[in-house]
Amino acid sequence: MSKPRSLSLAAYRVLSWGVPGNGDQPYVPRPSGDLIWIHIANPGRLHAMMDFCHRLLQSRPGLSVVLSAPPEADLSQWDCAKYILVNLPSEQTGAARVFLDHWRPNIGIWVGGGLMPNVITRAHEREVPLILIEAEIDLNTARGTRWLPDISRYTLDCFQRILATSNETARQIRKLGIAFTKVSEAPPLLISPNPSPWPEDELIETNHAFSSRPIWLAAWVKDKEFISVLSAHRQAMRMLPRLTLILHVADIQEAAPLHRRLEAMDLRCINWDDGGMIEDTTQIVLSSDPEDLGLWYRVSAVSFIGNSLERGDGGQEPFGATALGSAVIHGPHVDQHQTAYDQLDQAGAALTVRTATELGDAVVELLAPDRAADMALAGWQIVTDGAPQSDQLIELVQDYLDERSTDDAGT
């Protein structure tokens, strides 16, 4: 049963009637059956939440997903092809009602800040169970309404569960008057890699072909990063003459032209995709099939995760490498996976480089056996520690959906 409205909320709704809308949104039809609505305040959390959705749907087939982004977000910059992704309407009373009337969510998860009182409180009044994760006391309110005394408390109190990433944030939320039992501390959700097993005979054969040479992998490399990666490899070979680079290109169309360029540069290379065989003199193994990364992460002590050196790239997820025991190097431009890289950096499981020279130095440094092993262990601990957090949230969502289904059946 929803609680009575506060005077502040009533005033807020009156004042937000005049907020300009963000245009009529021709929503796609709502899928049939149960639907979970997940709002993502920061695009850097999109991939982790998509991974969560994938795992959730494995546990609950038939559940549909709609993801929402802030009203002002440019969805063309959000890399989401698997699920419905829409802008949340502006903080205008009628628009919030239209959004909820259309999607009729059975449960909602809000990720991060930018809390919007109209849509949250109206969802609560419709008895939609709401969960706030990676909580922040950060409201995206209508202009001229921040003076209302308890709108933050009332908005936060609409959530059945609130998970904060720090003890300090949890304490501040409780100080607003939110029940102690609603608020707990939990780390951010991470992508939970589940790498497929690799044929043991092929793994043994590949390791034998490399003949105990030092190996590093550059994965998801874009064309504008080729020169930096090749310069770093040449630099590192001065210290490690038998060093081999596995160069995985992000665009399969670039593989053949790059092979010709490497041969013109007098670099001894093979194209793995064309059936090239690793020889004792091979300096670069060229690859483009994403599935082969499962092999390359296993044989490489060090992996540079590309699409990260140049501004605007956004990065690739790093946990495929850490889950398979490879130390991680990355560039500074990893906006789409920032939380993941921050955790790896802070734990000493990853290293940030900004130039080709820094990359070459990092490869030599991390190929020291003790250094790579320490980083790989730190990365593995983060991967394994993050899995239970996803499992617990999936269990919580399942419980709320089951409870709501029981309630609906009894009415």
Side-chain angles (χ1 to χ4, degrees):
M1 199 66 179
S2 60
K3 56 183 174 291
R5 295 182 191 173
S6 71
L7 291 176
S8 286
L9 178 61
Y12 180 83
R13 288 184 175 171
V14 170
L15 291 169
S16 63
W17 268 111
V19 173
N22 50 347
D24 294 332
Q25 298 197 54
Y27 296 127
V28 299
R30 182 198 188 278
S32 59
D34 287 347
L35 180 142
I36 182 170
W37 158 49
I38 301 177
H39 179 75
I40 304 169
N42 183 334
R45 305 303 294 130
L46 175 63
H47 292 280
M49 296 313 300
M50 287 171 60
D51 180 73
F52 167 78
C53 291
H54 175 72
R55 297 187 61 197
L56 173 61
L57 296 186
Q58 288 180 324
S59 301
R60 199 168 187 106
L63 180 67
S64 297
V65 175
V66 60
L67 306 178
S68 66
E72 68 281 0
D74 180 359
L75 298 187
S76 67
Q77 303 300 311
W78 291 54
D79 181 19
C80 180
K82 292 184 178 180
Y83 305 107
I84 299 170
L85 175 66
V86 299
N87 289 103
L88 209 58
S90 58
E91 186 59 355
Q92 199 264 358
T93 300
R97 189 168 56 242
V98 169
F99 177 85
L100 294 168
D101 283 344
H102 179 82
W103 294 112
R104 305 187 311 281
N106 299 85
I107 188 169
I109 298 178
W110 195 285
V111 187
L115 303 175
M116 299 177 66
N118 270 326
V119 70
I120 291 170
T121 57
R122 287 197 176 277
H124 175 71
E125 288 169 1
R126 296 169 186 231
E127 300 184 355
V128 177
L130 298 174
I131 303 168
L132 174 60
I133 67 172
E134 302 172 21
E136 300 176 24
I137 307 176
D138 169 40
L139 268 67
N140 181 8
T141 55
R143 184 175 299 176
T145 61
R146 283 192 174 270
W147 58 271
L148 294 168
D150 63 349
I151 195 66
S152 295
R153 180 197 64 77
Y154 195 90
T155 301
L156 285 163
D157 205 26
C158 290
F159 293 96
Q160 274 81 353
R161 291 290 300 275
I162 298 176
L163 306 179
T165 56
S166 71
N167 183 61
E168 176 60 22
T169 301
R171 188 183 65 82
Q172 291 175 356
I173 291 172
R174 292 189 185 106
K175 281 182 67 176
L176 291 174
I178 307 302
F180 188 93
T181 53
K182 277 190 178 185
V183 186
S184 55
E185 188 178 349
L189 285 186
L190 299 176
I191 290 175
S192 301
N194 185 23
S196 300
W198 201 265
E200 189 69 20
D201 55 346
E202 186 176 350
L203 182 58
I204 292 171
E205 183 181 342
T206 305
N207 277 318
H208 180 72
F210 281 118
S211 233
S212 302
R213 280 173 285 174
I215 304 165
W216 73 291
L217 166 68
W220 300 110
V221 179
K222 292 285 191 73
D223 56 353
K224 57 188 174 181
E225 296 175 310
F226 290 159
I227 295 301
S228 294
V229 170
L230 295 174
S231 298
H233 185 54
R234 284 189 180 277
Q235 174 188 328
M237 282 196 299
R238 297 190 193 111
M239 298 295 294
L240 301 167
R242 299 185 71 242
L243 179 65
T244 303
L245 164 65
I246 300 168
L247 178 50
H248 171 267
V249 298
D251 183 355
I252 192 171
Q253 302 300 323
E254 295 286 346
L258 180 58
H259 192 192
R260 292 191 290 270
R261 286 172 59 186
L262 294 173
E263 290 179 328
M265 295 167 66
D266 292 327
L267 286 165
R268 294 183 293 277
C269 62
I270 67 157
N271 190 330
W272 182 264
D273 299 340
D274 289 343
M277 301 296 291
I278 299 167
E279 301 175 352
D280 190 54
T281 57
T282 300
Q283 294 173 313
I284 298 176
V285 177
L286 196 60
S287 174
S288 61
D289 189 341
E291 290 190 6
D292 284 338
L293 285 173
L295 173 63
W296 304 136
Y297 286 140
R298 284 174 166 90
V299 302
S300 305
V302 175
S303 295
F304 165 70
I305 310 298
N307 192 29
S308 63
L309 275 178
E310 302 294 331
R311 188 176 300 279
D313 282 345
Q316 293 283 340
E317 69 87 12
F319 292 122
T322 54
L324 292 172
S326 191
V328 168
I329 306 173
H330 63 93
H333 304 293
V334 291
D335 305 18
Q336 294 183 9
H337 303 272
Q338 193 67 57
T339 300
Y341 281 101
D342 285 348
Q343 286 197 282
L344 290 174
D345 289 343
Q346 291 163 14
L351 187 65
T352 306
V353 298
R354 291 171 175 78
T355 65
T357 300
E358 289 183 8
L359 178 56
D361 290 341
V363 168
V364 174
E365 176 191 347
L366 268 55
L367 280 172
D370 291 347
R371 184 82 162 91
D374 288 344
M375 290 183 68
L377 177 59
W380 173 249
Q381 288 174 334
I382 288 178
V383 169
T384 53
D385 289 348
Q389 177 62 20
S390 292
D391 292 340
Q392 290 168 12
L393 185 57
I394 288 171
E395 186 176 343
L396 185 61
V397 168
Q398 295 261 49
D399 288 345
Y400 280 129
L401 287 171
D402 290 342
E403 181 181 336
R404 180 150 183 163
S405 295
T406 302
D407 291 343
D408 291 345
T411 57

